[in-house]
Amino acid sequence: MIVGNGEVSEAAAKVIDAADLVIRFNDCRSATDIRCRTDVVAVCNTGRPGKAMLASPDWRNHFAVKGASEIWSVRDPAKFAEMRAPLAVSHPELDDFCDDYTDGFEAFARESGKRHVIIDRAIHEGIDEALEAYQPGPYVVPSSGMVVIAEALARYPDADVAIAGFGHVGWEWHPFAAEKKLVEAMISAGRLRRLDTNFSEPQR
């Protein structure tokens, strides 16, 4: 189960908690009750979000973060280091966007007994390539949600992968309209399910 920060129904929440693996994002807004299951917290490990999380005792002590066994850093440090100079020209307002806090998340994971995973740049670049078919227009990077979907499908190729709480809206420099089309194509191909409209347990 990959759970975005959008609305999740009570019926969906029960199915999520029964899954074999539950992935949430950043501040785990989708985990509204201490009973909500969280196995992986996928974090934006660069820029202001990464800096804010590591500096926040509330984040470090959040029940979902404390309960997770893995932290996934969604941005490959080498990829974002290469993006810094081009972004300084195209988007000078994003001067801290590529600031890297991966080492901080590695240290946090080690100190709290969690596994730390850095999602490889090949996942990011594969999404960029796949999005071309859906005319994304100018954008900076794929969303963390899209990166994690692609990583989960690659990491667990035989698993029943489902998403919930994905509204495909947010920061203006993510290609959300194209990402929604890509996700729908994955669903049509049988690679992914959207739990928001299908609350039944998969047949085993």
Side-chain angles (χ1 to χ4, degrees):
M1 281 301 320
I2 305 170
V3 190
N5 284 326
E7 184 176 352
V8 175
S9 72
E10 183 176 346
K14 292 179 180 178
V15 178
I16 290 166
D17 286 345
D20 296 313
L21 184 75
V22 178
I23 305 170
R24 301 184 195 268
F25 293 88
N26 292 326
D27 58 2
C28 299
R29 276 175 282 162
S30 63
T32 57
D33 187 283
I34 197 166
R35 293 168 295 181
C36 292
R37 179 171 175 181
T38 305
D39 300 293
V40 175
V41 179
V43 298
C44 178
N45 52 302
T46 70
R48 296 171 196 174
K51 181 179 181 179
M53 280 183 278
L54 288 173
S56 170
D58 288 343
W59 181 79
R60 290 171 175 268
N61 293 312
H62 190 288
F63 64 84
V65 175
K66 290 183 73 172
S69 59
E70 299 187 11
I71 301 291
W72 288 9
S73 288
V74 302
R75 295 176 170 177
D76 186 302
K79 172 72 174 178
F80 278 72
E82 292 173 7
M83 291 172 56
R84 185 182 293 276
L87 279 178
V89 176
S90 64
H91 296 78
E93 72 279 10
L94 301 179
D95 59 323
D96 59 354
F97 184 75
C98 296
D99 290 357
D100 182 36
Y101 298 97
T102 307
D103 287 349
F105 286 106
E106 170 67 34
F108 168 73
R110 184 171 58 251
E111 292 162 4
S112 53
K114 306 180 192 301
R115 181 175 179 234
H116 181 230
V117 173
I118 301 172
I119 296 180
D120 192 86
R121 64 185 299 160
I123 295 293
H124 180 145
E125 291 165 358
I127 295 168
D128 286 335
E129 184 176 346
L131 286 171
E132 290 178 5
Y134 303 100
Q135 301 178 323
Y139 70 96
V140 174
V141 290
S143 69
S144 295
M146 192 72 247
V147 172
V148 169
I149 288 171
E151 172 69 8
L153 291 173
R155 185 178 289 263
Y156 308 110
D158 299 321
D160 171 37
V161 180
I163 62 172
F166 276 73
H168 306 289
V169 293
W171 189 49
E172 62 179 320
W173 294 117
H174 289 322
F176 281 115
E179 286 187 1
K180 183 177 181 179
K181 293 176 182 178
L182 177 56
V183 166
E184 292 303 324
M186 291 174 170
I187 292 170
S188 295
R191 301 183 64 207
L192 192 66
R193 289 191 299 130
R194 191 185 293 275
L195 193 64
D196 309 65
T197 55
N198 180 6
F199 302 140
S200 62
E201 285 277 23
Q203 295 297 313
R204 298 189 184 276

